């Protein structure tokens, strides 16, 4: 605030790159009658009163790289199955875009409901279960904790990390 003197109002806004296509998300503090609608015109604006809350929301913005890496892994897997790289990329992008549509305007229970609606024994439930068993959800939470620590300028919690590995099961008795 000192470096912005004599400004009467100082705001923080973190717009994500897709705001350039008016499909982005911006987290900001505090809400403002002019600035909040400006960012809403570029996508979704989440305005919070307290900077402490803004700091806690910021780590989620660091999930972009992980999401793209997951899409790349899916595209690579499809290519290993013999699918053309272009078709694989288009399909992966379309699927991720489609499945995220259900969560585009969430309420407090949206994500829990979407997870719970996976058919028991179905393909989606299988991937969800296997990823949980591999520790993916816990690794995500740990990464978000570590990013928050970095944003807040404090050391991250010391954790013993183990890498996931996968190899075919030995079929012999």
């Amino acid at each position: 605030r000192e470096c912005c003197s004599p400004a009467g109002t100082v705001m923080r806004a973190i717009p994500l790159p897709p705001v350039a296509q008016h499909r982005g998300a911006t987290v900001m503090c505090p809400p403002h009658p002019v600035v909040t609608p400006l960012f809403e015109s570029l996508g979704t604006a989440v305005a919070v009163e307290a900077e402490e809350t803004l700091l806690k929301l910021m780590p989620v913005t660091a999930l972009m790289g992980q999401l793209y890496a997951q899409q790349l892994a899916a595209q690579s897997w499809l290519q290993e199955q013999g699918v053309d790289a272009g078709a694989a990329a288009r399909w992966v992008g379309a699927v991720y875009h489609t499945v995220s549509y259900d969560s585009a305007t969430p309420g407090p229970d949206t994500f829990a409901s979407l997870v719970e609606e996976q058919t028991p024994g179905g393909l989606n439930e299988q991937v969800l279960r296997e990823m949980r068993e591999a520790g993916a959800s816990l690794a995500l939470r740990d990464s978000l904790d570590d990013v928050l620590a970095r944003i807040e300028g404090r050391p991250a919690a010391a954790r013993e990390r183990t890498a996931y590995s996968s190899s075919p099961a030995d079929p012999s008795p």
Side-chain angles (χ1 to χ4, degrees):
R1 296 182 194 283
E2 293 171 13
C3 68
C4 298
S5 183
T9 302
V10 176
M11 304 188 60
R12 267 182 100 169
I14 300 144
L16 299 185
V19 298
Q21 289 84 36
H22 294 241
R23 295 182 177 181
T26 302
V27 63
M28 56 187 291
C29 176
H32 188 276
V34 174
V35 178
T36 302
L38 170 70
F39 282 110
E40 286 173 345
S41 74
L42 302 174
T44 300
V46 177
V48 295
E49 293 289 342
E51 189 162 351
E52 177 181 280
T53 304
L54 175 75
L55 295 178
K56 290 177 181 175
L57 292 168
M58 287 173 63
V60 176
T61 67
L63 296 178
M64 283 190 300
Q66 183 273 337
L67 174 75
Y68 299 144
Q70 189 177 23
Q71 290 177 300
L72 177 60
Q75 178 191 9
S76 297
W77 181 86
L78 285 170
Q79 289 176 248
E80 290 166 10
Q81 308 311 307
V83 177
D84 169 75
R90 284 190 307 277
W91 181 240
V92 169
V95 168
Y96 273 74
H97 180 74
T98 298
V99 299
S100 68
Y101 186 80
D102 286 341
S103 65
T105 55
D109 301 320
T110 299
F111 305 116
S113 295
L114 290 170
V115 169
E116 289 301 316
E117 76 180 22
Q118 304 312 302
T119 304
L123 301 175
N124 291 308
E125 186 274 335
Q126 176 184 344
V127 172
L128 177 61
R129 178 178 29 82
E130 290 175 358
M131 295 296 285
R132 282 180 172 166
E133 289 170 356
S137 297
L138 183 57
L140 177 65
R141 292 177 64 91
D142 286 351
S143 290
L144 291 170
D145 283 344
D146 293 350
V147 170
L148 178 59
R150 183 174 170 188
I151 289 168
E152 293 177 341
R154 59 180 171 79
R159 295 184 184 86
E160 181 179 328
R161 297 181 193 268
T162 56
Y164 174 78
S165 65
S166 175
S167 58
D170 184 3
S172 61

